[in-house]
């Protein structure tokens, strides 16, 4: 049985101003300091929609285009990207996901310096990913309820990201 072809790419949101205010400051500082260290970094993804999360979740489960598992989370509300409290930063070149170890290690050190948790320290490595260190590893049911009732800004406030 052959696997279906993946759907058309769902647009990526890479606007830094889609993030919580303190996340914005951290991300801008990281990109600048990466340049100062000789690395050409760019913000790849910030806020993530439900449609984008479903698209990414399909890889490694439904589609065979070589990407393998892109995310382990099917529901966007169970990851910090949906809340504007996560970012993916990659190398700004033709192979952004294949950066040198020096690039990733510098990114990790700078993310942690700027109060972010870096995905390069996880069992399931996610080298481009960082999220607000004041928040737990994943959003809680209370975080999801708060966001749906009062907006994601209320979650930013809860975790001191404003």
């Amino acid at each position: 049985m052959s696997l279906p072809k993946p759907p058309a790419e769902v647009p990526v949101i890479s606007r830094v101003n889609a993030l919580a205010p303190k996340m914005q400051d951290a991300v801008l500082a990281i990109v600048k300091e990466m340049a100062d260290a000789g690395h050409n970094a760019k913000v790849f993804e910030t806020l993530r929609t439900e449609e984008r999360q479903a698209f990414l979740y399909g890889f490694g489960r439904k589609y065979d285009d070589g990407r393998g598992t892109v995310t382990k989370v099917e529901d966007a509300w169970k990851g910090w990207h949906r809340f504007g409290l996560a970012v993916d930063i990659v190398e700004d070149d033709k192979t952004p996901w294949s950066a040198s170890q020096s690039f990733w290690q510098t990114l990790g050190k700078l993310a942690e310096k700027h109060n972010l948790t870096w995905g390069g320290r996880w069992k399931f490595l996610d080298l481009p990913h960082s999220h607000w260190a004041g928040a737990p590893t994943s959003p809680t049911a209370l975080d999801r309820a708060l966001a749906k009732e009062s907006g994601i800004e209320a979650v930013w406030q809860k975790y001191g990201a404003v």
Side-chain angles (χ1 to χ4, degrees), residues 14 27 33 44 49 80 94-96 100 121 124 132-134 147-148:
S14 58
V27 168
E33 291 174 34
F44 178 77
T49 64
W80 288 119
K94 292 180 182 183
T95 58
S100 68
R121 301 233 187 267
F124 173 70
W132 186 247
K148 290 175 182 180

Side-chain angles (χ1 to χ4, degrees), residues 11-24:
V12 173
I13 298 170
S14 58
R15 295 184 326 272
V16 174
N17 67 0
L19 298 169
K22 288 186 180 176
M23 275 291 297
Q24 291 178 36

Side-chain angles (χ1 to χ4, degrees), residues 4 17 24 26 29 36 42 58 65 76 82-83 86 93 96 100 104 108 114 118-119 122-124 130 134 139 144 161:
N17 67 0
Q24 291 178 36
D36 293 346
K42 73 174 181 177
D65 80 341
R82 181 64 189 90
F83 291 80
D93 69 3
S100 68
W104 297 124
H114 290 284
W118 179 50
W122 298 344
K123 182 178 178 183
F124 173 70
S130 296
R144 292 188 290 278

Side-chain angles (χ1 to χ4, degrees), residues 14-73:
S14 58
R15 295 184 326 272
V16 174
N17 67 0
L19 298 169
K22 288 186 180 176
M23 275 291 297
Q24 291 178 36
D25 294 344
V27 168
L28 292 172
I30 290 165
V31 171
K32 180 194 178 303
E33 291 174 34
M34 289 290 289
D36 293 346
H39 297 291
N40 193 15
K42 73 174 181 177
V43 173
F44 178 77
E45 187 164 19
T46 56
L47 192 69
R48 187 175 292 162
T49 64
E50 290 86 351
E51 295 80 14
R52 174 96 178 137
Q53 188 72 27
F55 169 79
L56 293 174
Y57 184 77
F59 290 98
R61 293 165 188 83
K62 297 184 233 175
Y63 313 116
D64 185 18
D65 80 341
R67 291 190 211 193
T69 300
V70 176
T71 181
K72 291 184 171 232
V73 180

